[in-house]
Amino acid sequence: GAGVSQSPSNKVTEKGKDVELRCDPISGHTALYWYRQSLGQGLEFLIYFQGNSAPDKSGLPSDRFSAERTGGSVSTLTIQRTQQEDSAVYLCASSSWRSSGTLLGPYEQYFGPGTRLTVT
Amino acid sequence: QQPVQSPQAVILREGEDAVINCSSSKALYSVHWYRQKHGEAPVFLMILLKGGEQKGHEKISASFNEKKQQSSLYLTASQLSYSGTYFCGTEPNYGQNFVFGPGTRLSVLP
């Protein structure tokens, strides 16, 4: 079946411009995650959605970053007034969610191919 | 708080075994393991939940010591395809933000 898709795959923008990154999760996955990965570095958690709600937005690096999810499906990560330090690969992942039984929480995350953002 | 992974890097010959460790200063609800090859997205390997439940690929094994807040990933009879960076991810409690460790770079040589 279809996996997680992200668009655009590459984005080059000038410092100060706004950008929107899109993520299409696997159909039926209620949880959606955004991460940032700088060259040769680890995965920096940004935000996650359970349905359309983001329980904790404290991972967003500054108030220039915002994210929304509509209809429990597509999500958009927006970066306003981009800075050079925002250059990175932005990864989206989705997972199904354990909602019954004694242990609740996410199953495995399926990652999209990422959007490579370059701020010049 | 980011979990700690050890070692930072390891080089193996094909057929050798390796153990990658992940530890947290906080109590953990779940630990996830992922492998990322250069230029690719991370791929799921294993999830370990508080209480002993596990789910993952057949050829991968891992342990989760809840009391010590530690998890280990066991790679046996390594193959060239095992090369990549291994990340552990931790969830301190249900619904709380997920945090990945810094990664362990594994290189398997012929």
Side-chain angles (χ1 to χ4, degrees), chain B residues 4-5 9 13-14 18 22 34 39 41-42 47 49 53 55 57 61 63 65 67 69 72 74 81-82 84 93:
Chain B
V4 175
Q5 287 187 236
R13 291 284 179 187
E14 231 177 335
C22 174
Y34 292 81
I47 179 172
L49 293 166
E53 188 171 345
K55 179 184 177 186
H57 293 287
S61 66
S63 64
N65 186 323
K67 286 184 180 178
Q69 297 142 207
S72 296
Y74 305 98
S81 62
Y82 288 10
N93 220 331

Side-chain angles (χ1 to χ4, degrees), chain A residues 66-119:
Chain A
S66 63
E68 65 174 14
R69 189 179 186 196
T70 55
S73 181
V74 171
S75 176
T76 302
L77 177 70
T78 301
I79 309 174
Q80 295 179 312
R81 304 181 303 281
T82 51
Q83 304 293 313
Q84 288 186 328
E85 62 261 28
D86 299 334
S87 295
V89 175
Y90 288 80
L91 290 160
C92 171
S94 71
S95 75
S96 55
W97 193 268
R98 181 197 303 266
S99 58
S100 61
T102 56
L103 285 174
L104 307 178
Y107 285 109
E108 62 269 32
Q109 296 178 35
Y110 293 85
F111 283 81
T115 293
R116 183 177 298 277
L117 176 67
T118 304
V119 182

Side-chain angles (χ1 to χ4, degrees), chain B residues 1-105:
Chain B
Q1 190 166 357
Q2 188 180 48
V4 175
Q5 287 187 236
S6 63
Q8 288 184 319
V10 59
I11 300 175
L12 300 175
R13 291 284 179 187
E14 231 177 335
E16 291 181 340
D17 301 339
V19 180
I20 300 173
N21 300 302
C22 174
S23 63
S24 173
S25 59
K26 287 185 165 187
L28 297 175
Y29 185 83
S30 71
V31 179
H32 300 215
W33 287 95
Y34 292 81
R35 178 173 60 216
Q36 186 178 31
K37 292 182 178 290
H38 182 69
E40 298 180 8
V43 172
F44 168 78
L45 296 176
M46 176 75 74
I47 179 172
L48 304 104
L49 293 166
K50 182 174 145 179
E53 188 171 345
Q54 297 187 356
K55 179 184 177 186
H57 293 287
E58 291 178 1
K59 295 187 178 181
I60 299 290
S61 66
S63 64
F64 179 22
N65 186 323
E66 295 170 41
K67 286 184 180 178
K68 292 187 177 180
Q69 297 142 207
Q70 293 175 348
S71 177
S72 296
L73 184 71
Y74 305 98
L75 302 169
T76 57
S78 58
Q79 304 172 15
L80 295 176
S81 62
Y82 288 10
S83 293
T85 300
Y86 289 76
F87 293 98
C88 71
T90 57
E91 187 186 14
N93 220 331
Y94 165 67
Q96 288 190 341
N97 284 347
F98 195 79
V99 183
F100 276 104
T104 294
R105 187 184 300 270

